[in-house]
């Protein structure tokens, strides 16, 4: 092209368009299906694809993915969708904050009520939480690949956890990659807190019971000492006679 080109209505190009240095558009540019902006291995890509959701219903996804050059190859770092996204690899955050406002929630109930009756124990209100904890299998492991593969990690196997706490396991789909299971680990904090509170309540009751027994034992010893003293005095009087 010459030094400048001006199009008022429609411009149609062939299989490719090459621009050197700078391209400037107005308030909006529309690209259908797929666009890629950036260098060879560091770029931002927009794409549209269809995947099956958890109910095997086809869903159309629009995603924006950010790739970065690592050792000469493009590695995906971020996938953004309309309903969320995914961070790939290892990320470091100075502060992580989760939304937890009461106004955003419904069906709120104490956790011991949620698990009441689990394991068959309907009498002990804390029995369900204790049963759930006993079913969990903490493990150590290493990831097959990625920046964390060289470290030993501690946690749970999602397939096993799903058998006990299915609501804590997510089937990750919709970003164009192979689906995997993920765990909402922060929810385990509430479970461990409930278990610790119930354990502390039992300990407090046991401590109170032990205190009462110790007081009763002291009273028994005092009475026994008094009886022994009376018996000793009686024997002294008998010997004096």
């Amino acid at each position: 092209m010459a030094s400048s080109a001006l199009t008022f209505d429609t411009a149609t190009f062939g299989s490719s368009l090459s621009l050197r240095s700078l391209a400037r558009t107005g308030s909006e540019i529309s690209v259908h299906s797929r666009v890629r902006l950036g260098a060879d291995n560091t770029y931002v890509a927009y794409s549209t694809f269809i995947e099956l959701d958890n109910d095997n219903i086809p869903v159309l996804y629009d995603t924006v993915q950010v790739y970065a050059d690592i050792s000469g190859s493009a590695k995906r770092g971020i996938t953004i969708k309309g309903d969320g996204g995914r961070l790939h690899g290892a990320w470091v955050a100075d502060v992580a904050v989760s939304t937890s406002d009461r106004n955003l929630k419904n069906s709120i109930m104490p956790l011991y009520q949620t698990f009441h009756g689990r394991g068959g124990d309907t009498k002990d209100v804390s029995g369900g939480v204790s049963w759930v904890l006993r079913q969990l299998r903490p493990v150590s492991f290493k990831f097959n690949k990625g920046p964390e593969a060289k470290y030993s990690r501690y946690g749970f196997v999602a397939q096993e956890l799903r058998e006990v706490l299915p609501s804590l396991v997510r089937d990750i789909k919709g970003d164009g990659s192979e689906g995997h299971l993920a765990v909402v680990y922060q929810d385990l904090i509430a479970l461990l807190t409930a278990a610790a509170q119930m354990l502390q309540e039992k300990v407090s009751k046991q401590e109170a019971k032990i205190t009462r027994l110790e007081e009763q034992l002291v009273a028994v010893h005092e009475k026994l000492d008094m009886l022994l003293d009376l018996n000793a005095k009686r024997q002294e009087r008998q010997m004096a006679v």
Side-chain angles (χ1 to χ4, degrees):
M1 293 183 180
S3 60
S4 65
L6 180 63
T7 302
F8 285 100
D9 190 6
T10 302
T12 302
F13 300 94
S15 60
S16 65
L17 170 64
S18 177
L19 298 174
R20 181 182 300 175
S21 180
L22 176 65
R24 181 176 180 180
T25 64
S27 61
E28 179 178 323
I29 182 171
S30 177
V31 179
H32 178 67
S33 182
R34 188 177 185 90
V35 63
R36 172 172 165 171
L37 304 172
D40 290 340
N41 294 324
T42 300
Y43 57 89
V44 178
Y46 161 80
S47 60
T48 301
F49 57 90
I50 297 176
E51 283 194 358
L52 298 179
D53 64 8
N54 293 332
D55 297 322
N56 291 324
I57 299 176
V59 178
L60 178 65
Y61 289 97
D62 290 332
T63 67
V64 175
Q65 298 176 336
V66 179
Y67 290 78
D69 189 327
I70 300 178
S71 301
S73 62
K75 299 294 184 181
R76 183 169 46 179
I78 304 175
T79 298
I80 303 173
K81 302 188 301 178
D83 59 351
R86 183 173 180 179
L87 302 177
H88 304 272
W91 286 74
V92 177
D94 292 332
V95 179
V97 180
S98 298
T99 303
S100 189
D101 193 287
R102 174 185 291 273
N103 296 320
L104 302 176
K105 303 176 181 180
N106 61 76
S107 304
I108 300 174
M109 68 171 61
L111 202 55
Y112 72 87
Q113 292 183 5
T114 304
F115 294 126
H116 181 64
R118 295 287 295 272
D121 188 354
T122 58
K123 296 181 179 180
D124 186 1
V125 294
S126 64
V129 174
S130 300
W131 179 86
V132 169
L133 283 180
R134 290 195 299 270
Q135 305 311 305
L136 301 183
R137 188 174 77 100
V139 297
S140 63
F141 62 92
K142 287 187 176 181
F143 284 111
N144 294 329
K145 58 182 180 180
E148 291 291 304
K150 59 184 177 181
Y151 300 108
S152 292
R153 301 291 302 274
Y154 312 111
F156 302 93
V157 177
Q159 285 82 352
E160 297 177 358
L161 189 63
R162 185 167 55 180
E163 298 298 322
V164 183
L165 297 169
S167 62
L168 266 61
V169 179
R170 302 287 188 271
D171 192 355
I172 304 300
K173 293 182 179 180
D175 62 355
S177 62
E178 181 182 355
H180 294 99
L181 297 182
V183 175
V184 188
Y185 271 102
Q186 64 266 28
D187 283 18
L188 290 172
I189 297 175
L191 178 62
L192 295 176
T193 301
Q197 289 175 339
M198 293 175 180
L199 179 60
Q200 183 59 47
E201 183 179 356
K202 289 183 177 180
V203 170
S204 298
K205 290 181 179 179
Q206 293 295 329
E207 289 178 343
K209 185 176 181 179
I210 291 173
T211 299
R212 290 195 301 270
L213 291 175
E214 288 177 342
E215 292 174 350
Q216 293 174 3
L217 184 60
V218 169
V220 169
H221 278 296
E222 291 177 350
K223 290 182 179 180
L224 180 59
D225 290 339
M226 183 179 64
L227 291 174
L228 290 174
D229 185 57
L230 290 174
N231 186 56
K233 290 180 179 179
R234 184 181 300 111
Q235 290 180 354
E236 290 177 357
R237 288 196 298 269
Q238 290 176 351
M239 292 178 62
V241 173

